[in-house]
Amino acid sequence: MYRPGPLALVLAAFVAVFLLLPLFAVVPVSFTPARFLTMPSGDWSLRHYQALIDNPAWLQATLLSIRIALLSAAISTALALAFSLGLWMYRPWFSSLLIGFVLMPMVAPPVVSAITLYFFLTSLSRLNGLVGYDTTLGVALAHSVMIVPFAVVLIMVSLAQLDRRIDLAARGFGAGVLQRVFRVIVPNIRFGLMTAFFLAFVLSWEEIGVTLFITSVNAVTLPRMMWMGLRDNIDPAIAAISVVLIIVVIGVILGKTAITAMAAKKP
C-alpha cells in the first residue's frame, strides 16, 4: 500500500494552512468591542455573540435555512435518482441530450438562472401563494433547480459502478420495476445517495446568488441576512456567526472521521 512521504505531508499541510488561514482570521474580529469590523485592540468582547442570542432574527434565519436546505436536498435527490435510474435502466439513444439538458443549470451563468427563476416564481405567485416569490417552498424549488445537476452527477457515478447483472438477475426472477429499484438498486447505491443528499444540503445552505433575486422580506435565509449585514452596516455579528459555522463544520468533519475510523476497526 502506497504511503505519502514526509515531503508530500509537509506540502499538503502547507496548502491546508494557506487555504484555511483566511477563514480563521475572522476569529479575532468576532471578539472586537467596536461596532464595526476591525481587529480588537486591547480589550476583547463577547458582545457580538450575545447579539446573536438577543436578536431572534439570526435564529429565525438559521432555522429557515435548515428547512429550505432539507427540503431542497430531498427534492433534488429524489429527482436526480428518478432521472439517473431512468437512463441506467432503459438507456435511450438520446440519453446524452437529456444529460446535457439536466446539467445546463450547472454551466449557465448564475445571473441568468436567477433572473429566469425570478420570473418563474413571480408567475407562480399569481396562481398559488404557497409556492412563489419570497416563500419557503418557492426558495426550496429554486434551489432544487440549481442543485439537481450536482446530485445527478454523483448518483450516475454510483450507478456506473454497479454491476448491471444484479438488475438482470432480479428481473429474471420476476421482480417488478419498483421491486428492482427499492430492493436491489437503491440499497447498493445508498452511499452515493447519502453523498448526493449531503452535497445538495450544503449547496442549498450557502446559496446566495439566486436567493437575492427570489426573496424580499419573508424568506430571509442566513446567507441573505449575512449579506444584508455586510451591505448595510458591516455588522460584526457576521464575524461571530461565521465562527459558529466554522466550529460546526469542524465538528461535523471530526465526527465523520471518528465514525469512519471506528467502522474501519470493526472486523
Side-chain angles (χ1 to χ4, degrees):
M1 182 178 178
Y2 173 75
R3 294 183 179 275
L7 181 59
L9 293 177
V10 171
L11 291 177
F14 175 79
V15 172
V17 171
F18 178 78
L19 294 176
L20 295 176
L21 195 58
L23 292 178
F24 291 106
V26 75
V27 175
V29 176
S30 66
F31 292 100
T32 180
R35 295 185 177 182
F36 51 90
L37 289 175
T38 183
M39 286 288 184
S41 55
D43 296 333
W44 290 50
S45 174
L46 295 174
R47 58 178 298 183
H48 303 299
Y49 290 93
Q50 185 65 37
L52 296 179
I53 301 175
D54 296 338
N55 188 357
W58 287 106
L59 179 60
Q60 294 173 3
T62 302
L63 295 178
L64 179 62
S65 294
I66 293 175
R67 291 198 301 269
I68 291 176
L70 289 174
L71 186 58
S72 302
I75 294 174
S76 59
T77 304
L79 292 177
L81 177 62
F83 175 81
S84 303
L85 284 176
L87 292 185
W88 188 82
M89 296 178 69
Y90 298 105
R91 291 186 292 182
W93 61 269
F94 51 89
S95 58
S96 299
L97 181 62
L98 293 176
I99 293 175
F101 179 76
V102 170
L103 298 183
M104 193 175 299
M106 185 185 292
V107 298
V111 175
V112 175
S113 300
I115 294 176
T116 304
L117 290 170
Y118 166 78
F119 286 110
F120 174 69
L121 292 179
T122 51
S123 300
L124 285 181
S125 298
R126 303 188 186 100
L127 303 176
N128 192 335
L130 294 177
V131 182
Y133 176 79
D134 201 22
T135 62
T136 300
L137 293 178
V139 176
L141 182 62
H143 285 190
S144 299
V145 173
M146 304 298 296
I147 292 168
V148 163
F150 299 92
V152 166
V153 171
L154 291 175
I155 294 176
M156 291 190 67
V157 169
S158 298
L159 287 172
Q161 299 173 355
L162 181 63
D163 192 345
R164 190 176 294 273
R165 291 175 294 182
I166 297 177
D167 180 54
L168 295 177
R171 185 169 61 179
F173 281 105
V177 175
L178 294 180
Q179 290 178 319
R180 290 155 51 197
V181 169
F182 293 105
R183 293 189 177 183
V184 178
I185 300 176
V186 170
N188 283 280
I189 62 169
R190 59 185 182 277
F191 293 110
L193 289 176
M194 293 170 58
T195 304
F197 183 89
F198 179 74
L199 178 62
F201 179 88
V202 173
L203 291 176
S204 176
W205 170 269
E206 57 88 26
E207 172 59 45
I208 182 60
V210 172
T211 306
L212 291 176
F213 279 80
I214 61 175
T215 60
S216 179
V217 295
N218 295 324
V220 180
T221 62
L222 183 60
R224 178 177 175 83
M225 191 166 181
M226 296 175 68
W227 180 85
M228 292 167 56
L230 287 173
R231 181 177 180 271
D232 297 337
N233 56 3
I234 315 297
D235 189 357
I238 299 173
I241 191 65
S242 299
V243 173
V244 173
L245 293 177
I246 290 173
I247 294 174
V248 170
V249 172
I250 293 176
V252 171
I253 294 175
L254 292 178
K256 180 181 179 300
T257 304
I259 293 174
T260 304
M262 292 174 60
K265 292 181 179 179
K266 290 183 179 180

